[in-house]
Amino acid sequence: MAEIDRHGSSGGEEPAGVKAVLTQDPHALRDTKENNLEIAIGHEVRAFRKKLGITGADLASATGISLGMLSKIENGNTSPSLTTLQSLARALGVPLTAFFRRFEEVRDAVFVKAGEGVEIERRGTRAGHQYNLLGHIGNSSSGVQVEPYLITLTADSDVFPAFQHEGMELIYMLEGEVKYRHGNRLYHMLPGDSLFFDADAPHGPEVLVHLPIRFLSIISYPDRKSGL
């Protein structure tokens, strides 16, 4: 497998002398919804305290709560009173409701059976570009909106190398052959090829080499409603 330089590319186009180092561990258990209210509150108290870079003793002193009681709260071994939670919220500089986020938060998933994606017309869609939306989650906790599409191009499809929108986009070829433009470069794409790019640059299919063409397009951009 080719190594990837996160500032460049792989596949022989540029030297791949630096192996990508991704900081997120996908196997780490984190941010799971807690079914136990005390554990959920304790997790949030500890997380906010560590985010501020203060010790348990510092927080205990600021709130007037004993260090032993604070330890019990953070470990989910006791049910703190509303007065205690208010003191913790003031000391940590967060709203009281922040302690209940993990307990109340719902993590959604969307399952789409083969052939059941919703065919839609995106703003700026060109003639003959068939978009099947494969799922959408409106209220994501990630602060990011993601639109996954299955796109089909046929003999009736326009070529249009000037799509432009905010965010990032990943294209993964499934069928056919296309010369796909991004900025001032042209990529000859076959099944199994992928292209990941900044979607603010003009991009799109420039030469439909072999039809029909099908590819996955996954677009991500900041969720403006989240305030992140």
Side-chain angles (χ1 to χ4, degrees), residues 8-9 13 160-171 178-189 194-207:
S9 61
E13 293 178 0
F160 188 70
F163 287 109
Q164 199 168 2
H165 51 86
E166 71 171 336
M168 306 296 292
E169 184 168 354
L170 171 71
I171 288 176
V178 66
K179 290 185 179 179
Y180 197 95
R181 177 169 294 282
H182 177 258
N184 60 2
R185 299 189 65 178
L186 203 59
Y187 296 87
H188 191 172
M189 301 187 68
S194 63
L195 183 63
F196 182 52
F197 53 86
D198 183 342
D200 190 49
H203 59 275
E206 184 159 306
V207 182

Side-chain angles (χ1 to χ4, degrees), residues 34-46 68-80 85 88 99:
E34 297 287 359
N35 294 319
N36 182 285
L37 180 58
E38 287 79 14
I39 292 176
I41 291 172
H43 187 286
E44 295 303 321
V45 170
R46 180 185 291 110
M69 176 57 72
L70 179 60
S71 178
K72 287 183 179 180
I73 292 172
E74 289 194 353
N75 289 316
N77 294 328
T78 189
S79 182
L85 289 176
L88 288 167
F99 296 141

